[in-house]
Amino acid sequence: MISLPLSDIASVLSGTLHLSGDDSPQTRVAGTVDTDSRNIGPGDVFVAKPGDATDGHLFVPAAAEAGAALAIVERTVDAPITQIVVADAVTALADLAREVVARVRRGGDLRVVGITGSNGKTTTKNLLARILEDEGPTVAPRASFNNSVGAPLTMLRVADETRFLVSEFGADGSGQIARLAGLVTPDVGVVLMVGMAHAGGFGGVEATLRAKTELVEAVRPGGVAVLNADDARVATMAPVAQARGVRVRWFGRGPAAEVRAEDVEVDASGTSCVVVAGDERVPMRLRVLGEHHVMNALAAITAATELGVSIADAVARLETVELAERWRMQPLGSDSVRIINDAYNASPDSMAAALRTLAQITGPDQRKVAVLGAMSELGEYAGEEHDRVGLQAVRLRIERIVVVGAEARRLYLAAVGEGSWDGEAVFFTDADAAYDYLIGELRPGDRVLVKSSNSAGLRHLGDRLGEFFS
């Protein structure tokens, strides 16, 4: 965080300042801001956020012992540390983030990019950050810091010298993206796709569309909306942008895209294509597994060109990326038995993309194995969407379909109903039982996809299989 006097912080947060030790209202604080006391070090700021499992106020003494300079609390705590008492710690976190970004913008050359979409946010964020970091100091979220706590924590890492802030905005209900994007009013807003992810929370795909449109509505007039030309729902955001004086740039694989990919070819080591923009044709070789990541790369390239990066430079930097993020199409194991651990998140769209990738990278003498768990947050659509995945797995001729967890049982039943009834599809209630089966079942030449939502916990099963077969 930039250096601020305690009095300024208290004013921004509409809080009451309780001084400790030698501190005065003019004492300046410039440390890292965090809600986890385990991450706190000397000079940092601890935000005591009440939670479902525990209360951050219990850890204020630990933060003080670790050397924190300030605690933002909802009630005073008996600990030797200066405290600012606020009405709501999460709201205070957002207010502080808004102020810090605004001050850096006024005093420097900070440009802000916001990214949303039903799938691909974290990968696109990482790809864009890789492009921009060679241009100047860049701040981007760790992992998937994209909610009401994670997004402001990322914003608060901005310093006076920061040139680029890449913010990822997730949501499971209306108004959330508007609140988060409203903290920074992005110069560039990127919308990747509108699909079924979190449809249960939103109340359907049309409600998801309205929520994702909130990012376009938050882009500052004179800014740019980078939109997916291949997604009909995303395309409806163009008039919204133009009505606000926001220019539209299109990416995609179809002819309507201003930045598009042609001659796409996929194999076990990555994806090749040609990036086309006007008269430019730049070959690109992505080492990140999955044809669907071409769209994420195109989005990142398009956004980067709006920030002054040439397509050739953007492509060259993307070609250095080996892994988008842990547990996202992460190759593990060995050349003999390759494990692809993609079990951090799952939606109907990302499940379909991962299964297609498995089919594309498996040779004719190799065996396709899909280890699949539940897709969460689909609400009333959960049953039919798990059915679709089971049907697709069979139709892609996946030789072994291993379904794990009671919430994914309909996926297994759909696969059996489609014809995988002779041992091709198996069901296990827990990951340990699936692991025991797989270490005895897998053989040289197998290509194994592990895919589920985070809540299903299969990412750890993927790690175990990767270690066993390494």
Side-chain angles (χ1 to χ4, degrees):
M1 186 182 75
I2 62 173
S3 176
L4 292 172
L6 288 169
S7 58
D8 282 17
I9 298 174
S11 177
V12 167
L13 305 186
S14 300
T16 303
L17 179 60
H18 296 263
L19 296 169
S20 177
D22 296 330
D23 285 348
S24 75
Q26 287 71 46
T27 299
R28 301 185 76 88
V29 175
T32 297
V33 181
D34 212 306
T35 58
D36 189 335
S37 62
R38 294 168 296 184
N39 298 332
I40 293 295
D44 290 346
V45 178
F46 176 61
V47 180
K49 179 181 73 69
D52 295 331
T54 188
D55 186 346
H57 293 80
L58 300 174
F59 301 95
V60 171
E65 185 176 349
L70 171 66
I72 296 172
V73 297
E74 295 181 2
R75 61 180 184 274
T76 55
V77 176
D78 184 14
I81 184 173
T82 291
Q83 300 171 44
I84 296 176
V85 180
V86 298
D88 184 278
V90 175
T91 300
L93 190 64
D95 290 340
L96 186 58
R98 180 191 293 109
E99 181 68 16
V100 165
V101 172
R103 291 194 184 204
V104 173
R105 256 190 166 142
R106 288 196 296 268
D109 188 30
L110 178 66
R111 306 290 299 281
V112 179
V113 182
I115 299 172
T116 195
S118 297
N119 298 110
K121 295 182 295 295
T122 299
T123 296
T124 303
K125 168 263 298 184
N126 288 339
L127 295 177
L128 181 57
R130 173 63 193 93
I131 295 170
L132 295 177
E133 66 186 15
D134 284 0
E135 299 293 312
T138 299
V139 170
R142 300 188 297 268
S144 291
F145 271 38
N146 62 20
N147 61 14
S148 60
V149 173
L153 287 178
T154 298
M155 297 168 191
L156 286 165
R157 289 168 45 212
V158 165
D160 291 317
E161 66 274 11
T162 302
R163 282 196 60 196
F164 303 105
L165 167 63
V166 181
S167 288
E168 175 185 341
F169 300 129
D172 54 12
S174 64
Q176 295 177 17
I177 292 174
R179 286 191 291 274
L180 294 176
L183 300 177
V184 292
T185 55
D187 300 284
V188 180
V190 180
V191 184
L192 300 168
M193 65 174 297
V194 175
M196 291 297 295
H198 311 295
F202 283 110
V205 71
E206 293 307 317
T208 303
L209 168 60
R210 291 193 293 274
K212 301 304 181 185
T213 304
E214 292 170 9
L215 175 56
V216 173
E217 294 169 337
V219 174
R220 57 177 54 211
V224 180
V226 174
L227 303 181
N228 181 350
D230 299 347
D231 188 312
R233 293 188 178 95
V234 174
T236 66
M237 300 178 190
V240 177
Q242 292 159 347
R244 301 187 63 258
V246 172
R247 189 160 47 85
V248 175
R249 291 289 308 282
W250 299 101
F251 70 93
R253 299 205 24 202
E258 298 168 80
V259 179
R260 65 184 186 276
E262 295 181 353
D263 303 328
V264 178
E265 296 183 0
V266 182
D267 60 36
S269 62
T271 305
S272 297
C273 67
V274 176
V275 178
V276 180
D279 294 331
E280 287 190 84
R281 297 181 62 86
V282 182
M284 179 170 68
R285 175 68 181 175
L286 287 177
R287 289 190 275 179
V288 180
L289 280 180
E291 182 178 354
H292 52 291
H293 288 312
V294 169
M295 290 293 285
N296 299 330
L298 292 173
I301 292 167
T302 308
T305 60
E306 288 298 321
L307 300 170
V309 183
S310 71
I311 290 179
D313 285 344
V315 167
R317 294 166 194 174
L318 291 181
E319 290 182 330
T320 69
V321 179
E322 297 183 12
L323 179 66
E325 185 86 28
R326 187 182 180 192
W327 298 318
R328 287 177 169 85
M329 299 303 288
Q330 181 180 7
L332 300 170
S334 64
D335 289 339
S336 177
V337 177
R338 175 63 67 202
I339 310 296
I340 303 167
N341 195 353
D342 192 33
Y344 189 84
N345 265 324
S347 69
D349 295 305
S350 68
M351 273 279 195
L355 286 169
R356 286 195 301 269
T357 297
L358 177 64
Q360 289 169 327
I361 68 171
T362 304
D365 298 325
Q366 299 171 328
R367 193 169 60 152
K368 302 179 288 292
V369 180
V371 183
L372 306 175
M375 302 176 287
S376 62
E377 299 182 59
L378 292 176
E380 63 183 287
Y381 308 98
E384 63 188 77
E385 293 301 332
H386 282 89
D387 289 347
R388 291 180 198 274
V389 172
L391 297 178
Q392 183 190 26
V394 175
R395 292 168 184 175
L396 286 172
R397 301 183 184 278
I398 308 295
E399 283 85 0
R400 287 290 182 272
I401 302 169
V402 181
V403 182
V404 185
E407 292 185 346
R409 186 172 176 81
R410 271 195 63 165
L411 193 162
Y412 162 73
L413 294 174
V416 171
E418 185 67 7
S420 289
W421 47 264
D422 193 23
E424 296 95 341
V426 294
F427 173 78
F428 298 97
T429 57
D430 61 76
D432 287 339
Y435 175 79
D436 291 340
Y437 166 80
L438 287 162
I439 60 174
E441 170 66 21
L442 296 179
R443 62 194 190 210
D446 285 352
R447 298 295 177 257
V448 185
L449 170 70
V450 183
K451 180 72 174 172
S452 74
S453 284
N454 195 1
S455 60
L458 295 198
R459 63 195 187 281
H460 303 303
L461 172 60
D463 287 343
R464 291 175 68 190
L465 291 171
E467 183 177 358
F468 184 88
F469 289 104
S470 63

